[in-house]
């Protein structure tokens, strides 16, 4: 049986500033913006080009992308434990330093020669593991630095959306005029800049004194997570959403647009998704529904238009417009959900609870992605996408059908 902590709260009490753009939040915002820019330069553009240039083929690209993404689902719960045990800023700084060194090592490998696939995969997996430690800390710090948590989440969502569009474009230009190693060096530099911003923050929290084990911390986090019907209900429903909607559509939708309309069309519609995400974030800055998860679920329903537009092989402008709707609805939902989590979960367990949220949210996406290919061969791409469009409405209906989710009130 796990021993109870000697002291429940030994961190200093930090009062958020009245203005959203306090010194600490501005530094956190800058750190997040620059690191997301580096991430979007790396995935999938730089990784894909790097692996292909190294002669490892499309299969190697798949291994590399999986190696970078899988650790988030595998280790984010442990990252949540580290954040709650050692405080978010410390863990985030260490994670940034680790990612800077790892990406720098990958850049050096491409500067001195052609690295083997095993080395590329290993370094990307280590970088993904560091990201799994960083993510819970970043979410935990937001409510400690901004009094208006919803506006803070919305502001970050807007800039993330812009980086989703800008990152691949910058990577493409740099690769065209220089080399892949330059992109990797700049990606490593973004983590260094993020680390400097975090170290400059005045938010200081002392480490909790506890005698509990890592297993005890995991159990406590799970109890906090599972005791809230609205929280675990959303995650279970989103596991279904990832397996039947997101996973298949991210695989088949983008492949279909590329094959039917060309790579430029895919770039255009993905840019429109980023623009839509920015719009959704801006709306979330102003709109404050009394029942945030209800409003977010209704916004998510717009995803059905995007899936149907691709399934029906509509024109590129129509598909692009539907991607705007998809991006706006997805961004609005994420702001509503993250704000609910950050304002209703005690700070000392927020890292672990968010980690369970992330793990549950992403674990079923690979299953949907892997099943999409065989299913499309068996019944065709359009039938699979029609099924996914139906499941959009089913999952939205489930979110609205659960009273704990539908009736959750804004703080």
């Amino acid at each position: 049986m796990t021993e109870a902590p000697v002291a429940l709260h030994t961190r200093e009490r930090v009062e958020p500033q009245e203005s959203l753009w306090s010194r600490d939040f501005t530094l956190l915002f800058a750190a997040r913006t620059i690191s997301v820019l580096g991430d979007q330069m790396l995935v999938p553009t730089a990784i894909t080009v790097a692996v292909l240039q190294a002669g490892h083929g499309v299969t190697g690209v798949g291994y590399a992308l999986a190696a970078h993404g899988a650790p988030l689902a595998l280790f984010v719960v442990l990252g949540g434990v580290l954040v709650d045990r050692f405080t978010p800023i410390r863990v985030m700084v260490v994670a940034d330093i680790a990612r800077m060194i790892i990406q720098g090592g990958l850049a050096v490998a491409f500067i001195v020669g052609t690295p083997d696939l095993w080395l590329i995969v290993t370094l990307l997996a280590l970088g993904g593991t560091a990201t799994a430690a960083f993510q819970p800390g970043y979410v935990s710090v937001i409510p400690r630095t901004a009094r208006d948590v919803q506006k803070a989440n919305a502001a970050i969502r807007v800039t993330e959306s812009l980086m989703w569009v800008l990152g691949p474009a910058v990577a493409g230009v740099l690769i065209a005029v220089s080399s892949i190693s330059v992109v990797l060096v700049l990606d490593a530099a973004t983590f260094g800049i993020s680390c400097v911003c975090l170290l400059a923050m005045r938010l200081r929290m002392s480490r909790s004194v506890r005698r509990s084990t890592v297993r005890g911390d995991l159990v406590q986090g799970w109890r906090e997570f599972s005791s809230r019907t609205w929280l675990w209900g959303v995650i279970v429903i989103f596991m279904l959403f990832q397996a039947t909607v997101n996973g298949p559509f991210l695989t088949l939708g983008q492949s279909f647009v590329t094959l039917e309309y060309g790579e430029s069309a895919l770039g255009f519609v993905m840019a429109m998704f980023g623009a839509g995400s920015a719009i959704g974030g801006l709306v979330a800055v102003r709109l404050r529904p009394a029942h945030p998860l209800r409003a977010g679920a209704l916004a998510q329903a717009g995803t059905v238009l995007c899936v149907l537009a691709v399934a029906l092989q509509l024109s590129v402008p129509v598909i692009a417009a539907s991607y705007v709707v998809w991006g706006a609805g997805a961004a609005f939902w994420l702001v509503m959900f993250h704000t609910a989590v950050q304002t209703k979960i005690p700070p000392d367990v927020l890292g672990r609870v968010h980690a369970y949220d992330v793990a549950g949210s992403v674990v079923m996406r690979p299953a949907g992605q892997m099943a999409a290919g065989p299913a499309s061969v068996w019944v065709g791409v359009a039938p699979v996408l029609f099924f996914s469009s139906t499941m959009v409405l089913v999952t939205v209906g489930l979110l609205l059908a659960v009273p704990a989710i539908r009736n959750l009130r804004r703080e």
Side-chain angles (χ1 to χ4, degrees), residues 279-327:
I279 293 171
L282 291 172
V283 171
V285 170
R286 308 293 297 179
L287 188 61
R288 297 176 178 274
H291 301 92
L293 299 187
R294 183 189 304 179
L298 292 173
Q300 274 281 75
T303 305
V304 72
L305 300 177
C306 189
V307 181
L308 285 176
V310 176
L312 295 171
Q313 303 182 38
L314 301 180
S315 65
V316 172
V318 174
I319 293 175
S322 71
Y323 267 67
V324 173
V325 176
W326 176 27

Side-chain angles (χ1 to χ4, degrees), residues 128-147:
T129 303
T131 299
F134 182 93
Q135 180 66 22
Y138 148 70
V139 171
S140 298
V141 168
I142 292 176
R144 290 176 166 118
T145 57
R147 182 176 296 278

Side-chain angles (χ1 to χ4, degrees), residues 225 231 235 337-338 341 352-362:
F225 174 82
L231 181 54
I235 300 308
F337 178 67
H338 285 165
V341 172
R352 280 165 284 171
V353 171
H354 174 71
Y356 280 115
D357 153 30
V358 172
S361 297
V362 303

Side-chain angles (χ1 to χ4, degrees), residues 269-285:
V269 298
M270 292 308 298
M272 291 302 99
F273 174 81
S277 298
I279 293 171
L282 291 172
V283 171
V285 170

Side-chain angles (χ1 to χ4, degrees), residues 20-155:
L20 172 64
W21 298 103
S22 64
R23 172 189 167 88
D24 280 348
F25 180 74
T26 301
L27 288 168
L28 178 66
F29 181 87
R32 180 62 176 175
T33 300
I34 192 66
S35 63
V36 170
L37 175 61
D39 285 342
Q40 295 307 311
M41 289 167 58
L42 180 69
V43 184
T45 306
I47 289 179
T48 301
V49 174
V51 174
L52 291 176
Q53 284 186 358
H56 302 304
V58 177
T59 301
V61 173
Y63 288 144
L65 291 173
H68 186 268
L72 181 61
L74 294 175
F75 299 117
V76 69
V77 174
L78 180 59
V81 171
L82 295 176
V83 164
D84 289 338
R85 186 173 280 252
F86 297 106
T87 76
I89 297 296
R90 290 188 180 117
V91 175
M92 292 164 70
V93 167
V94 171
D96 269 342
I97 293 173
R99 292 191 291 182
M100 180 178 62
I101 295 171
I102 292 164
Q103 289 306 114
L106 187 59
V108 171
F110 274 92
I111 291 173
V112 300
T114 303
D116 293 333
L117 181 60
W118 70 265
L119 178 60
I120 298 174
V121 167
T122 300
L123 290 175
L124 289 174
L126 290 174
T129 303
T131 299
F134 182 93
Q135 180 66 22
Y138 148 70
V139 171
S140 298
V141 168
I142 292 176
R144 290 176 166 118
T145 57
R147 182 176 296 278
D148 194 329
V149 178
Q150 179 177 323
K151 186 176 289 186
N153 280 312

